[in-house]
Amino acid sequence: MKDYLVLRVIAKLMIAFMLLFALYVQFHGDFGPGGGFQAGVISAAAIIFYAIIYGLPAARAVVPDWLVETMVGAGVLLYAGVGVVGLLLGGNYLDYFVLGHDPVHGQHRGIFWVEMGVLITVAGVMLKIFYLFAGRAEGGER
Amino acid sequence: MMAVVTVAIAVRRNLFAVVILGGIYSFLMATVLVALDAVDVAMTEASVGAGISTVLFLSALFLAKSEEMKPLHKPFLPLVVAVATGAVLAYGTLGLPAFSDPNAPIHQHVAPRYIQEGERETGVPNIVTAVLASYRGYDTLGETTVVFTAGVGVIALLRRLRQRTRGDKR
């Protein structure tokens, strides 16, 4: 698909908006529909879109394998780490009230980081699965 | 309409059409969820079900043939099993409280507290986010771990296969 000029230009235009929309879904999840799962999938979809139009090596140059594999684990660790920080600050595990100077602020902070962990893991896993499938396709038939 | 799509998926032999029909089914499901006021779930269904799954199916399809093979055995036994399971499930729904009954146990346990106190306690207007990330933080940690485990499983399976094929070539 690398030769289709229209696709390439439109893709370049749309990917920026897709990533922006993913960030909107992530950070506006407190007020509207959305959150880590959806935002992770949308941001992964933006990269996959790029990979489909520009080819897998181009996408691997933007988001390399080691980064994707780190993301898979880092998200869960971040989520679990929020719980540990709560423990260290004198609360229960995954207790957000102790994270800020007042409870509501602590809740905001806790939810923010937890959703961030979900986003990182989901995006990483989706990208990794796509890379593996597409990598097999490129190594095999082409 | 969803029934039509489901039957079409079962009947079709062309896998490309089946994948696209699967995406259409997901979008229909998302509209149903929007009608039920479950916007968060609808969004997940649209992005995961119709978006990522379709792409993953297509990339898997690229590795396989695009025509499904003729089934080797008669479909009667699976049909009987499916109908029987469906009948048991439908029978099970008879014991559930009526749809959107405010007195149902699920609406009486912790839900009123989430609705009434959620915004004050967490400062988050979207109750789905408040329940998901704060009140039910353990469950969401579990879900994230499930996603993580699925990813690690796929990595373990596919990467080993790739190394083996590479070793065969040498």
Side-chain angles (χ1 to χ4, degrees):
Chain A
M1 286 218 204
K2 288 180 191 170
D3 306 325
Y4 293 95
L5 185 66
V6 177
L7 275 181
R8 288 172 72 100
V9 172
I10 297 294
K12 214 168 240 181
L13 276 176
M14 277 181 64
I15 284 167
F17 286 109
M18 282 174 83
L19 288 171
L20 192 66
F21 183 63
L23 290 178
Y24 167 78
V25 167
Q26 169 78 6
F27 296 117
H28 203 257
D30 292 2
F31 307 100
F37 283 100
Q38 293 92 330
V41 170
I42 293 172
S43 53
I47 306 293
I48 290 176
F49 188 37
Y50 184 74
I52 288 174
I53 304 291
Y54 287 85
L56 196 57
R60 279 215 162 106
V62 178
V63 190
D65 269 321
W66 62 265
L67 180 65
V68 175
E69 276 169 28
T70 317
M71 278 165 71
V72 172
V76 181
L77 280 180
L78 178 61
Y79 199 133
V82 173
V84 174
V85 169
L87 274 184
L88 292 178
L89 290 175
N92 288 325
Y93 189 67
L94 286 179
D95 193 355
Y96 307 145
F97 289 118
V98 291
L99 293 176
H101 46 84
D102 70 305
V104 172
H105 194 95
Q107 283 284 337
H108 267 299
R109 219 175 252 182
I111 290 175
F112 174 83
W113 285 111
V114 157
E115 293 272 14
M116 206 65 185
V118 174
L119 166 99
I120 294 171
T121 289
V122 170
V125 168
M126 294 299 167
L127 268 182
K128 188 67 204 171
I129 293 177
F130 177 77
Y131 275 7
L132 283 170
F133 269 98
R136 282 170 65 81
E138 292 209 334
E141 287 183 41
R142 275 183 189 169
Chain B
M1 200 151 146
M2 286 170 84
V4 173
V5 174
T6 319
V7 171
I9 289 176
V11 170
R12 282 276 162 167
R13 284 269 168 269
N14 187 340
L15 291 177
F16 183 75
V18 169
V19 169
I20 300 301
L21 281 170
I24 293 173
Y25 183 85
S26 278
F27 272 125
L28 289 173
M29 193 71 217
T31 45
V32 168
L33 291 165
V34 168
L36 289 173
D37 275 346
V39 194
D40 285 81
V41 193
M43 201 161 173
T44 317
E45 177 67 40
S47 55
V48 178
I52 291 281
S53 314
T54 310
V55 169
L56 288 182
F57 275 133
L58 283 179
S59 58
L61 199 59
F62 189 69
L63 297 171
K65 284 180 185 164
S66 62
E67 285 289 318
E68 192 181 355
M69 291 216 293
K70 288 271 180 223
L72 294 174
H73 49 78
K74 296 282 182 220
F76 292 115
L77 181 64
L79 187 68
V80 168
V81 170
V83 168
T85 316
V88 169
L89 287 176
Y91 176 70
T93 58
L94 294 179
L96 291 176
F99 182 68
S100 73
D101 178 10
N103 293 320
I106 192 169
H107 298 310
Q108 295 298 317
H109 183 46
V110 286
R113 176 156 170 240
Y114 291 164
I115 294 169
Q116 280 156 15
E117 306 284 315
E119 186 161 357
R120 191 181 56 76
E121 281 185 346
T122 63
V124 173
N126 182 3
I127 187 170
V128 178
T129 303
V131 172
L132 186 111
S134 185
Y135 291 111
R136 290 268 160 248
Y138 275 73
D139 297 0
T140 312
L141 176 61
E143 280 174 35
T144 316
T145 316
V146 167
V147 174
F148 168 75
T149 318
V152 169
V154 171
I155 291 172
L157 278 173
L158 288 185
R159 176 176 276 171
R160 201 165 62 193
L161 277 176
R162 196 169 55 186
Q163 276 169 358
R164 193 181 294 155
T165 49
R166 202 176 284 158
D168 287 347
K169 274 175 195 163
R170 284 173 198 158

